[in-house]
Amino acid sequence: MSVVAGAPHYPGWEVHPESTWRAVASEGGVLVSRHRAYVPRSPTFLKRLLYEFAHGLAFARHIDREADVVVLVSPSLFASLVVRIRMSMSRGRPAAVLWMQDLYSAGVAETPGTVAKAMTRLMATIESSLARSCDGVVVIHDRFERFVVDRLRVAKGLVNVVRNWTHVRHGSRLSVQDVRERYGWQDESELIVLHAGNMGAKQGLENVVDAAWWASRHSRPVRFAFLGDGNQRASLEHRGRGCPAVQFIAPVPDEDFFAVLSAADVLLVNERPSLVDAAVPSKLTSYFMTGLPVVAATDPSSATTDEMVASGAGATVRPGSPEALVTAVEDTHAAWTPEKAEAGPTFVAQNLSVQRNIDLFEAALYEADRRRGREARNRPDARATNEEAEHCG
């Protein structure tokens, strides 16, 4: 097994120092080959498009033609498209499986602005064409499956739901007290609300900064902490400058991530008000593991709301209302009980375990390989070759 990937640059949109990664490495028995390509510091739509095509061209040169299955990951949709086109030029190509972590066409449709609306049909056509050209499609949620089948017109038999499994590491050298001392979370009367992960446009985190300002003006003992990085971080820091109820924390090593999550009082998901079908926050998997209350500011009809209801691991509130967000985190924390704290870990064990979902993924890969084999055998040129061989025999 091997992985072809870009140089690490997420979530800050800046390639990490070369001392922290290697171009070729063996990680857990998997050969990982990383390649540099264009990474925009400020990823506008056009720059993001160029970024994805550049990575696709870099990856296409290194696809193993002897592989049985090639897994294309979206995002990046257009990088996957470039690789898939390159694969189609090979007569005996491997099976192709598209692993959809986000839905681009839904994301464009749910983005405000006339340009985005005009792009919706084109994006849906591209995403549909790519998905239908593959031998299998893996999606991360039942909502995604319905969208891919109903809106992208992919045959239901090609689509497999495989949840993103938990990947947080336990065993940090840091205790909860260590973390709270490090970040100044020692006032027992202050409620620490932590948002961890990417600070991008679809998170709509201006709402959270505004909630911090509202809490400060109304003397509510709530602090909103942002852990991580992203292309909106500088703008958010500027928006929150001078507010005592907002805090920004640099990304932490993987081994310390779970300890930092566990040291908060409430864990937060915030989404842009228009976001409904485009994504399911991967941070929820890690959040649920802690047993802490989770508050999601999200559309009532969103996939995130479905996940929160299914897990029973917290509460939802409409996005875009700073006052409502402050009230929701206070009320959810006050009502949290040891019994409720079991909901998140139980949901993870039943639905998001490593073994369960890797087994499902493996089954999807084997089925795509079998499907590709049947397709190859049924091609006219393949049938002619077989008949000729039988005649010669």
Side-chain angles (χ1 to χ4, degrees):
M1 180 180 292
S2 62
V3 171
V4 179
H9 58 272
Y10 183 85
W13 290 90
E14 185 175 15
V15 175
H16 297 182
E18 291 190 3
S19 60
T20 64
W21 59 278
R22 289 181 291 172
V24 179
S26 178
E27 301 179 16
V30 177
L31 179 64
V32 180
S33 176
R34 299 187 181 277
H35 303 274
R36 280 185 174 272
Y38 169 68
V39 176
R41 192 67 185 92
S42 301
T44 62
F45 176 78
L46 290 177
K47 289 180 179 178
R48 176 72 182 255
L49 201 60
L50 179 59
Y51 152 85
E52 293 204 10
F53 274 114
H55 277 80
L57 291 170
F59 299 160
R61 293 196 301 269
H62 299 279
I63 292 298
D64 183 358
R65 304 298 188 273
E66 301 303 316
D68 295 309
V69 182
V70 172
V71 178
L72 309 171
V73 184
S74 178
S76 300
L77 175 68
F78 290 96
S80 296
L81 179 64
V82 171
V83 175
R84 180 66 187 85
I85 291 172
R86 177 65 185 87
M87 290 175 64
S88 69
M89 297 176 183
S90 300
R91 187 171 182 178
R93 69 166 179 84
V97 172
L98 180 64
W99 190 5
M100 304 180 78
Q101 295 284 327
D102 283 346
L103 298 172
Y104 275 54
S105 52
V108 171
E110 294 166 6
T111 299
T114 55
V115 174
K117 300 303 180 187
M119 290 286 294
T120 297
R121 180 172 294 182
L122 175 61
M123 192 65 72
T125 299
I126 293 170
E127 193 167 39
S128 172
S129 297
L130 173 60
R132 289 187 292 117
S133 76
C134 291
D135 304 289
V137 176
V138 174
V139 296
I140 62 171
H141 199 272
D142 295 339
R143 285 280 291 264
F144 279 30
E145 180 187 34
R146 292 198 294 272
F147 186 96
V148 168
V149 172
D150 296 342
R151 303 282 291 278
L152 300 185
R153 298 179 292 113
V154 178
K156 187 175 177 61
L158 289 179
V159 184
N160 300 270
V161 179
V162 181
R163 303 299 303 274
N164 282 339
W165 50 89
T166 179
H167 61 278
V168 294
R169 299 183 186 177
H170 297 270
S172 170
R173 66 188 187 282
L174 299 175
S175 67
V176 166
Q177 187 58 36
D178 291 335
V179 175
R180 293 185 74 90
E181 288 179 1
R182 172 184 290 186
Y183 299 122
W185 300 347
Q186 295 171 283
D187 183 351
E188 294 297 329
S189 67
E190 185 180 44
L191 193 64
I192 304 300
V193 182
L194 180 67
H195 178 278
N198 185 39
M199 302 179 203
K202 70 183 179 184
Q203 282 76 31
L205 294 171
E206 298 82 3
N207 177 56
V208 182
V209 176
D210 292 347
W213 277 112
W214 190 93
S216 179
R217 287 194 298 267
H218 291 82
S219 301
R220 305 284 272 269
V222 179
R223 184 194 304 198
F224 289 91
F226 295 85
L227 169 66
D229 205 345
N231 60 43
Q232 297 298 306
R233 175 167 172 158
S235 173
L236 295 169
E237 288 178 322
H238 179 76
R239 192 183 189 97
R241 188 169 298 151
C243 179
V246 68
Q247 178 181 14
F248 290 87
I249 300 169
V252 298
D254 288 350
E255 60 268 23
D256 296 336
F257 181 69
F258 189 73
V260 176
L261 291 186
S262 300
D265 297 305
V266 177
L267 299 173
L268 177 65
V269 172
N270 193 90
E271 294 181 332
R272 191 179 63 226
S274 59
L275 205 68
V276 177
D277 285 312
V280 179
S282 58
K283 62 173 61 69
L284 284 176
T285 306
S286 303
Y287 282 7
F288 291 159
M289 286 288 291
T290 66
L292 293 173
V294 179
V295 171
T298 182
D299 189 283
S301 62
S302 70
T304 300
T305 293
D306 284 359
E307 196 75 344
M308 290 296 297
V309 172
S311 68
T316 61
V317 61
R318 282 189 175 273
S321 174
E323 179 181 353
L325 178 55
V326 173
T327 300
V329 297
E330 290 178 327
D331 291 349
T332 305
H333 181 261
W336 206 241
T337 64
E339 291 73 25
K340 290 181 179 180
E342 293 297 320
T346 298
F347 184 78
V348 170
Q350 293 175 348
N351 300 279
L352 310 177
S353 69
V354 176
Q355 195 59 57
R356 166 188 166 82
N357 288 288
I358 286 182
D359 286 348
L360 289 173
F361 205 107
E362 184 179 46
L365 297 182
Y366 274 112
E367 177 55 33
D369 184 44
R370 286 193 292 269
R371 188 177 291 117
R372 175 62 186 161
R374 290 194 297 270
E375 177 186 305
R377 288 193 298 273
N378 291 331
R379 285 199 313 267
D381 58 335
R383 287 199 301 271
T385 300
N386 291 338
E387 290 170 1
E388 182 178 323
E390 290 173 3
H391 178 73
C392 292

